[in-house]
Every structure is written in structure tokens, then in C-alpha cells.
Amino acid sequence: MARGKINPKDQRKIDKNTLKVLKRLFSYLDPFRLWIFLIIVFGILGTVFEILGPLLMGRATNLVVDGFREGDFLVDKFMQVIYLLIGLYSLASLAEFSRLKIANKVKVSIVYTMREDVSKKLKNLPVAYYDSHPLGDLLSRMTNDIQTVGDSLNQVLNQVFNSIVVVLGIIVIMLRISPILTLITFLVIPATFLSSVTIIKRSQKYYSIQYKDLGDINTHIEEMFASNKLVKAYNYQDHALKDFEEKNEKLRKSAAKSEFLSGVVMPISFFINNLGLVITAIVGAMEILKGKLSIGSFQSFYQYSRKFNRPIQMITEMLSILQSGVAAAERVFEVLDGPEEVQKDLSPVDVSKLRAKVDFDHVVFSYEPGAEPVIKDLSFHVEAGSKIAIVGPTGSGKTTLVNLLMRFYDVDSGSISIDGVNIENIHRSDLRENISMVLQDTWLFQGTVYENIAYGSDHVSREDVIRAAKSAYAHDFISKLSDGYDTVLEENGSNISEGQKQLITIARALLKNPRILILDEATSSIDTRTERLIQKAMDQLVVGRTSFIIAHRLSTIIKADLILVLKDGRIIEKGSHQELLANNGFYKELYSSQF
């Protein structure tokens, strides 16, 4: 098949999908039926006032012509028509203003509703969804695409209903003035629509490609801005710029194709309509010479003919704009249709009484169906209040193990239970309410230190926050900040050090007072002295709590009650520090390599 041609089967699939998306898109108009009714009413009123104008102008023209012929110009009648014209056009403007104001309100409300729907959806999507969808693309769907949908619907509300009313009203008046000229005008419609629809069908595919390319370039920009220091540190600026230029060129080409096809519609419609006007002028002149049509009536008809063609052009233009909206809406609906975290109908479990005894029973897990398992037949038992260390080489499954405990992912087979209750029978929100997790990659938002520590903990006092900060040995450095706990942190805490950011996240975890504590390389960015202080705090904090500690620095887990040594998704050794050293196995090799 030649390049640029669309397979008929693919075209039918596109058409069917377009209708499905349109139906779903217009469902967002249901709550605004009253407003849409008012838009139609004001549109009809404005149209009626406007289309009566040329009729009165024709009458005024006839008064002038008759006055010159008969030598008796009726000034009073002429001025009455003029005053009536001014009044009609004033009312038409008022109706148009009201219609546009309501239509814009509907548009803003729909954009608000769609963004709210996507925001709620994102909250319920599993971690796996975010792992497989670039952040920049999701941001593009939530901002650019939804805005495009709103703009498209706004154009439809503002133009299509009004254009239909204009066409119907003008047809009635044109038929009264001259049926033969009206027939000529009608012949223009099929030619205009046929050419427009043919082009618009081809543009749909390119609009979808354009918005995908836009998502790709947004992802690249977000990555480069977020990693600006790293880009400069590795002298990657030229490569990053080259990558951007390639993606930008790809977007330019797809945008050029879609916009070109969309832009061709208006010139073609304009040419066909103007050709119709030329024919109308020729036939109209002949009718005047035959005495079948007055000059004023022809002037009115010619104005109506131009007004009639404009709505036709606008409707075809709206079809093109709507195609852009459909392509954007399709991407938004893909997010809204994303698979949510599966939650069974569960019997309530009183999580407030959990002792946090944890069991992994023959757990098998892989990130992709059919792929090599990351966790392979893993089993172990943890007593409540125990301090468990998980060690092993990179890629052994350490972080995956705690991700399964948090139910960021569900196991493929086997089970994980807390106090004998399978965690799949506990609501995720209840489960995570009892677990605090501190990751190697710190996350802070733009806000005060106090707000960052209190994040995720409801109804806590300032004293509680300060107490948690002291336990995490963060109070001293916070007190030295310009505004103490009210110091505003920049995005991701860029105005404090990595170690200080990690202390704040540890304080946040401690404030939550969890049953289970997970530390995934939580002290990796902290100096040795501070790390020792935190270890003292941890020794007190783990009392009565079950704690899982992932660490590469084996010195930090010497006092652990149980050390699990993972390799290739399996537990190859387990025991206390002294027991594992005595075994002269893999753990001793790891320990000896560090000391």
C-alpha cells in the first residue's frame, strides 16, 4: 500500500471508534442540559434578529431606488427601517453575548469535571500502571489533551447549534425571495460536505499520532528538567538537545500532516462557496433584467447567500476541530479505562489490633505475565516486633519483596499474611495505614518542613511533629533553618542536603507510628555519625513493631533478629549475623568485602 493511504478496514475501525468516543464525550454534556437549552434559545433569538437584518436592508434599498425613480423619497419610512435595523442588531449582539458566556461556562465546567475524573482515576491506578506509562505523557493527557477536548466542545456549542438555526432560517427567507437562486445555493452544500468529510477522515489518524508525539516530548522535557544537575554533571547537554530535536521534529511532522489536512478544509469550502456566489450573481442579474426580481430583493438574497455559506463553512470547520478533540479525548479515556487495583468484597479486619506477625508462604511473582519470576518460591516467618534485615546483590528481589508486602503488586502464587490474615483480604488503605516506608529516593513537596513531616498523618499537633523530628535527629538542623519548621522547602527539597531530606522522610515515617516499618536503604545519604544516632533511635522504635531493613551497609544490620540473604529471587541463607558468619557462606563474602 502506498505511503499515506489508509486501509479500508482500518478506516472503518477508526470511524467506529470515533463514534464510540463521541458518544462518551457528549455524555459529559448531560449535567448541563438546562444551560445547553439556554444556549440554543439565545442562539435562535440572536439568529432570528440577525437574519431579519438583510430583509430590512433590502426594503431600505427599495425605498431609495423607488424614491429616485418616482422623485418622492420617503425619509420617515426609510428612517423607521434604519431604527428597526439598529434595534435588531443590538438585540442580536445581546443574545450572542449571553450565548457565548453560557457556552464558555459549560466548557470550563466540563474541563474541570474531566480533570477531576482523571485525578480520581490516577489515585486508584496500581503502581504497575505508573511503571509502564511515562510521567510526562500522563501529564500531557491531564493538561493538554483535556484542554483540547474542552476547546473542541466549546467550538461545537458556540457554532454548530447556531449554524444549524441560521441555515434553516435563511432557507425559509431565500425560498420566499427566489426559489431558483435558492436551488443554486443548495447545489453547493453536497460538494462542500463531500470534500470536507473526505479530508477529515484522513486527518483523524494523524491527530492521534500528533498527541502521542506530544506526550513523548513532554516526557523527555520532564526527565531532563528533573535531572538537570545529572545532565550537566555528565556533559549530556548536547545529547539531550539532540534527543529533544529528534522528538520535536517528529512532533513537527505529525502536527504538520494533521494541521495541513485540517487547514485544507476551509480553503476548499471557501472556493466552492465563492463559485456558487458567482453563479448566483449571474443568474440574479438575469432575473433582474427580466423584471422577476427587484434590486433590493437581490441584495437581500445575496447577503443571505453569503450568510448561508458561512455556517456551512463553519460546520465543516467544526468537524475538523472535533476530530482533534476526539483524538485528545481518546487518550484521556485510555487513562479513565485503565485497570484499577482489584479489591475484593472483604470482611472487615480490625487492623488496630494487628501484632504484625508476617508470613511469606511459597510466594512467586513476576512483573510481566509469562516473564521470568523475580521472586521464586520464597517462604519465611517473622515474629511480631522482630527486626528483619534483607541483603543481597542488586536485582536479587529485595525491594520487590517489600513492594509485595505493601501490595503495590499482588503475588502470582503463594500468599503473604499478617497475623494469619492474607493481606489480599485486607483493604489496601487499612494495610498501608499500618505500614511506614522510607525509600532510598526521598520525596518532598513544595511546602513547609512541618507540612512535609505531617504528610499522611491526620490530626497531629506541632508537638507531635517536633517529637518525631527529635527521634529522627532532624530537630537540630531544622531549628537552624531560616524559619525553623515553617521554612518553605523548594520542589523536592532542593534547598537542603540529601541527608537532611532523608532525615525529614524518616521523621515523617516515625510520626505515623506504624505497626510495620520498612527502611529501603533509608540511611544511604546520611553520614556515618548521623547514621549511628539513627540506629540508636531505631533500636528504641522497633520495640513492639516489626521492621524490615534493606541495606547494603552490613554494619547497620548487625543487631537484626533475622537476616535474609537473597540471590536471584530466592533465600539462600538466613539467620543472625553471627550464625551467618559462622556458616562461611555468601553472607560472609559480602561482609568480608566491606570490612
Side-chain angles (χ1 to χ4, degrees), residues 248-298:
N248 199 27
E249 176 64 16
K250 191 176 178 183
L251 175 61
R252 185 192 68 79
K253 288 180 178 178
S254 60
K257 288 180 180 177
S258 60
E259 296 299 333
F260 171 76
L261 288 172
S262 175
V264 163
V265 173
M266 281 302 292
I268 291 178
S269 300
F270 192 71
F271 172 76
I272 295 173
N273 289 326
N274 281 339
L275 190 62
L277 288 174
V278 172
I279 298 172
T280 300
I282 295 171
V283 176
M286 293 172 65
E287 292 288 293
I288 292 172
L289 292 174
K290 293 177 182 178
K292 295 181 179 180
L293 194 65
S294 67
I295 295 175
S297 296
F298 176 73

Side-chain angles (χ1 to χ4, degrees), residues 156-422:
V156 171
L157 290 172
N158 278 332
Q159 303 298 344
V160 171
F161 294 122
N162 190 44
S163 298
I164 292 172
V165 174
V166 169
V167 168
L168 294 176
I170 289 176
I171 286 174
V172 173
I173 295 177
M174 287 198 307
L175 283 171
R176 290 185 60 186
I177 295 174
S178 174
I180 188 170
L181 292 180
T182 304
L183 177 63
I184 294 171
T185 305
F186 278 2
L187 293 176
V188 174
I189 299 175
T192 303
F193 267 107
L194 185 62
S195 60
S196 299
V197 171
T198 302
I199 296 169
I200 288 168
K201 279 187 175 182
R202 294 178 60 84
S203 68
Q204 172 64 29
K205 180 181 73 170
Y206 296 113
Y207 271 119
S208 299
I209 296 171
Q210 177 187 349
Y211 289 118
K212 179 184 178 301
D213 292 342
L214 181 61
D216 289 343
I217 200 169
N218 280 336
T219 298
H220 175 78
I221 292 170
E222 190 273 333
E223 288 174 348
M224 291 304 101
F225 284 178
S227 308
N228 184 51
K229 290 181 180 178
L230 194 64
V231 171
K232 292 183 182 298
Y234 281 87
N235 288 321
Y236 198 77
Q237 298 98 311
D238 292 338
H239 294 284
L241 180 60
K242 184 179 179 182
D243 290 344
F244 173 81
E245 288 173 348
E246 288 176 356
K247 293 180 183 296
N248 199 27
E249 176 64 16
K250 191 176 178 183
L251 175 61
R252 185 192 68 79
K253 288 180 178 178
S254 60
K257 288 180 180 177
S258 60
E259 296 299 333
F260 171 76
L261 288 172
S262 175
V264 163
V265 173
M266 281 302 292
I268 291 178
S269 300
F270 192 71
F271 172 76
I272 295 173
N273 289 326
N274 281 339
L275 190 62
L277 288 174
V278 172
I279 298 172
T280 300
I282 295 171
V283 176
M286 293 172 65
E287 292 288 293
I288 292 172
L289 292 174
K290 293 177 182 178
K292 295 181 179 180
L293 194 65
S294 67
I295 295 175
S297 296
F298 176 73
Q299 180 199 32
S300 297
F301 187 92
Y302 196 80
Q303 286 183 305
Y304 281 125
S305 182
R306 294 189 68 86
K307 284 181 177 293
F308 178 81
N309 289 332
R310 180 56 186 158
I312 297 298
Q313 292 174 355
M314 292 184 72
I315 290 173
T316 57
E317 184 181 359
M318 287 309 103
L319 290 174
S320 178
I321 292 173
L322 198 58
Q323 287 295 92
S324 172
V326 167
E330 192 173 3
R331 283 168 48 81
V332 175
F333 293 149
E334 282 176 4
V335 176
L336 293 176
D337 293 337
E340 297 186 9
E341 289 182 324
V342 178
Q343 187 64 67
K344 307 172 185 175
D345 293 331
L346 307 174
S347 301
V349 176
D350 189 359
V351 292
S352 64
K353 296 181 179 179
L354 289 178
R355 294 177 59 248
K357 181 179 67 174
V358 179
D359 286 284
F360 277 64
D361 185 22
H362 298 287
V363 171
V364 177
F365 172 75
S366 59
Y367 285 102
E368 296 291 338
E372 178 73 16
V374 180
I375 299 294
K376 305 169 184 175
D377 195 28
L378 189 144
S379 299
F380 64 90
H381 170 76
V382 176
E383 287 294 336
S386 298
K387 183 179 180 181
I388 310 302
I390 306 170
V391 301
T394 301
S396 59
K398 303 185 296 297
T399 300
T400 301
L401 188 147
V402 295
N403 283 342
L404 293 175
L405 180 60
M406 290 287 291
R407 284 201 72 192
F408 291 150
Y409 301 89
D410 285 330
V411 301
D412 295 339
S413 63
S415 65
I416 303 171
S417 59
I418 298 178
D419 291 358
V421 180
N422 191 321

